[in-house]
Amino acid sequence: MSRLIPIVVASLLSLPSLSQTTPEDLVHPLTGTQNEGQTYPAVGVPFAMTHWTPQTRAGEIKCVAPYYFPDTRIQGLRATHFLSGSCVPDYGSVTLMPGTDTLKTDAVERSSSFDRTSEHATPYSYTVDLPDAHATAYVTATSRAGILRFTFTEDSADGWIVFENNARAGEGWVNVSAAVKEVTAEVPIRREYAGSGKPAGYSAWYVAEFDHPVTSVGTYIGAAAHDGVTKQVGDGKPAGVVVVPKMMTSTGGASAAAATNPVSAPRPGFGAYLHFGAVHKGETITVRVGSSFVSEAEARRNLHAEIADWDAKRIEASAHKAWHDALGRIQIAGNDPAKTVFYTSLYHAMLQPRTYSDVSGTYPRFHDHGTPEHVAAGQTQFDDFSVWDIFRAQAPLMMILDPKLEASMLQSIITKGEQGGYLPIFPAWNSYTSEMVGDHSVSMIIDAWEKGIRGFDTESAYTLMRKNALTIPQNRAEYLDGKGRRGLDSYLKYGYIPLEDHIDDAFHRNEQVSRTLEYAYDDAMLARFAKALGHTEDAALFAKHGENWRNVIDPKTGFARGRNSDGSWAAPFDPTAHASWITEGLPWQYTFFVPQNVPGLMEYLGGREKFVAKLDELFAKSYYEHGNEPSHHIAYLYAVAGAPEKTQQHVRSILDSQYKDGPDGLAGNDDAGQMSAWYVLSALGLYQVCPGVPVYTLGVPRFDDATISLPNGQKLHVIAKGAEAGKFTVREVTWNGKKITDSQLTHDALKQGGTLRFELAQ
């Protein structure tokens, strides 16, 4: 990897400096675009329907992000729905690329080299010089529309723009009109995980309008252009997803995808092109593009509602303000260089879930055939919930910063359950997926409710949660389609999922122990919810299920361990080795996934001292892996066990070693902002070990002085003088002057505002 160092240095020279003190201008969107992060420089507004990004990789391929920092050529500017930081395919995307003289339509052939010093990425705009295209490309965006400017850098007899439909299965269409200076497109969407490769039943729609007269048009497939043709349907090959080598979502999978997949797509690509005749140096062609998941008409309506004119700078100013308002809810005083890491992390935590409803309120019905539905007045429908990841920190973060918005997101999940029949576990592509393990839509909704957040249908949510926890779809086709918990029949029969149940009907097969542990956690939260709602019998049942963790942690070895249906334990057994019954981690890590009953786990493992010693061994022998979510709460367990100084030591070490400013600044997939949200909360000195129980465990802040503006008008002031000088051992912590002795702060206290002061030792 040494060959990348000069490129990295050159890019960092073009990044904003600390002298730009507004939060949005301290964001470095290229962070995480190299090695494991799987992010991309998303342009637009928080939680947008469609973000825009430079494209260095063609097509919509599983585990391949649109942009990788080590790549040296840009193929265009893409309207993307890639789940930031993930190992999934992009979907419903299109790409625009300018050029001069000889037309080039193939993504690789039309690509241009670029000078890193010309690349300027912010959350609200992106600019880069494309010398091989003799143009400078610029984009800014709203939630549902983007405005692009292509400025030519020399005189040419002909300037042109390519509009490519990136449909994963090579289907859909593009239509181009010289008379109205417009391209329209339908990009059908394919599912992933449950129903992988099957049509999702709806499409992304685009309307692109150009401000310059068009001299001629055509369509193309790959490198073959068809002058004068105004509509292209598909890429001429049988529709279907081209299978690429399987990439794992665990650490190492992302870098393997980037290294082993070509920059070209497995299908030829198709689209339309427009010729504009002679162009001159400094001349700019502006394009405005609207998107929708419902129809061409809604894409046009979104475009004209959000970008009513051709004033790109006005749109950029609006996007700039949106990020200023969102990121500015947290103010970090001083000029510590880690502020760039903090605000970049906060930016990444505000990309998904994505808006799915149009300005008119229409959206495609969940897991259906694109039937239009309408949100209630003042509501927004969202999708692409990476629930297994975000329930831990990203959702809790948003519950602090914008509970009203989070309530709307949670109502979106509930609405999906009402429309599809089961509460979705990992809703993405507007479909059931059965992806990952656990059932954490349950705990995420309950977490919000426990924090006093309302604005979603509580009774409907409970009905759906109960159904998920107790009912197996009677129609096997529904189960195969992703509805319901995987392995629920075994879980209910044995109190755990035995190794004989291989969970064949899931992308993640097996993983029986992780499923058991995570279902037990969700059921424990459901027991709390049931009790609060007055369902006493249900509460007793789910509380019993919440203790099922005891069935998969071997009391003799003291580790999470696979178990057979006859009660015997998996053999041979090595807690340091990856096992088929553990999800993206080790038995060492999953042994500590009992957030609902940490005192019970301590007792089960031999008491507080042995528990702390076991945590010591995990860290000493490097079994902690921050690059994947199962480890994220572990450092905070020390504080729960009465050893807060060790939480402080390890949290500060993780903050400084696993995050940095630069393209390779993330230790693992960002997973829709979860990795980044961990940094934000931990840098503020707190983390929620058990979402669903509204209590934060205290660690140690990264900054001397931080202020959170709460939505009720109150402020949370976090003071830790000396943190920026490297101090991390807490001598005393007080809340509004009162000493905290148990390393805990309730959400009820936090939301009232006040001063959380950490006195750090020398």
Side-chain angles (χ1 to χ4, degrees), residues 129-151:
D129 291 344
L130 303 173
D132 298 335
H134 307 298
T136 294
Y138 161 94
V139 64
T140 187
T142 62
S143 179
R144 304 169 180 87
I147 187 163
L148 297 75
R149 291 168 59 86
F150 299 117
T151 301

Side-chain angles (χ1 to χ4, degrees), residues 376-549:
Q379 292 293 309
T380 301
Q381 185 71 6
F382 293 90
D383 196 52
D384 289 354
F385 291 85
S386 190
V387 175
W388 185 78
D389 307 294
I390 67 172
F391 86 93
R392 305 165 198 265
Q394 190 272 346
L397 173 63
M398 293 310 302
M399 290 176 199
I400 296 172
L401 297 179
D402 198 337
K404 184 177 180 180
L405 175 63
E406 186 65 21
S408 183
M409 291 177 174
L410 297 176
Q411 180 58 53
S412 294
I413 295 177
I414 296 166
T415 299
K416 295 173 193 298
E418 293 169 341
Q419 293 175 352
Y422 279 82
L423 193 69
I425 290 169
F426 193 112
W429 310 279
N430 205 39
S431 303
Y432 288 100
T433 66
S434 73
E435 167 59 347
M436 302 308 295
V437 300
D439 190 4
H440 304 318
S441 291
V442 169
S443 59
M444 203 158 64
I445 294 169
I446 293 170
D447 191 32
W449 189 86
E450 289 274 6
K451 291 171 178 173
I453 298 172
R454 300 297 183 262
F456 53 87
D457 191 330
T458 302
E459 288 299 330
S460 180
Y462 180 75
T463 299
L464 289 164
M465 292 174 188
R466 187 181 190 280
K467 184 177 182 180
N468 271 30
L470 297 175
T471 306
I472 302 164
Q474 295 303 302
N475 184 333
R476 178 156 175 77
E478 284 192 292
Y479 182 76
L480 293 175
D481 215 26
K483 297 182 181 182
R485 293 184 180 183
R486 307 294 95 173
L488 180 62
D489 48 354
S490 291
Y491 178 77
L492 295 177
K493 178 179 179 180
Y494 297 100
Y496 63 96
I497 302 176
L499 300 183
E500 291 88 344
D501 187 345
H502 294 290
I503 318 293
D504 290 323
D505 302 318
F507 178 80
H508 284 251
R509 297 178 67 248
N510 296 305
E511 303 182 359
Q512 299 91 338
V513 170
S514 295
R515 293 178 195 278
T516 299
L517 290 168
E518 299 200 25
Y519 289 157
Y521 154 67
D522 293 317
D523 287 345
M525 297 305 99
L526 185 50
R528 291 172 58 95
F529 195 37
K531 182 178 180 180
L533 296 179
H535 303 295
T536 54
E537 290 186 7
D538 283 357
L541 174 64
F542 294 130
K544 180 181 178 181
H545 290 182
E547 291 295 294
N548 281 342
W549 59 270

Side-chain angles (χ1 to χ4, degrees), residues 553-619:
I553 297 181
D554 179 6
K556 291 185 178 180
T557 63
F559 288 103
R561 186 174 179 182
R563 199 168 191 182
N564 299 305
S565 59
D566 63 4
S568 61
W569 297 98
F573 173 65
D574 179 359
T576 70
H578 288 277
S580 64
W581 30 266
I582 291 291
T583 302
E584 296 189 7
L586 301 172
W588 255 106
Q589 297 149 7
Y590 258 99
T591 297
F592 294 101
F593 191 82
V594 188
Q596 71 273 27
N597 191 0
V598 177
L601 178 62
M602 277 192 279
E603 180 183 8
Y604 192 80
L605 295 178
R608 190 193 75 83
E609 290 185 4
K610 288 187 177 180
F611 183 79
V612 170
K614 197 177 192 73
L615 287 171
D616 287 343
E617 187 178 357
L618 177 141
F619 280 100

Side-chain angles (χ1 to χ4, degrees), residues 644-645 647-649 652 655 682-685 698-705 718-734 756-762:
E645 70 284 354
T647 287
Q648 297 150 19
Q649 172 193 347
R652 180 56 186 258
L655 286 168
S682 294
L684 293 171
L698 302 182
V700 60
R702 177 59 183 78
F703 301 99
D704 286 7
D705 191 304
V718 181
I719 300 173
K721 297 301 181 184
E724 293 171 13
K727 296 179 182 179
F728 58 81
T729 300
V730 178
R731 178 183 291 118
E732 181 179 85
V733 58
T734 60
L756 183 62
R757 185 183 299 273
F758 295 78
E759 183 181 339
L760 303 183
Q762 293 295 330

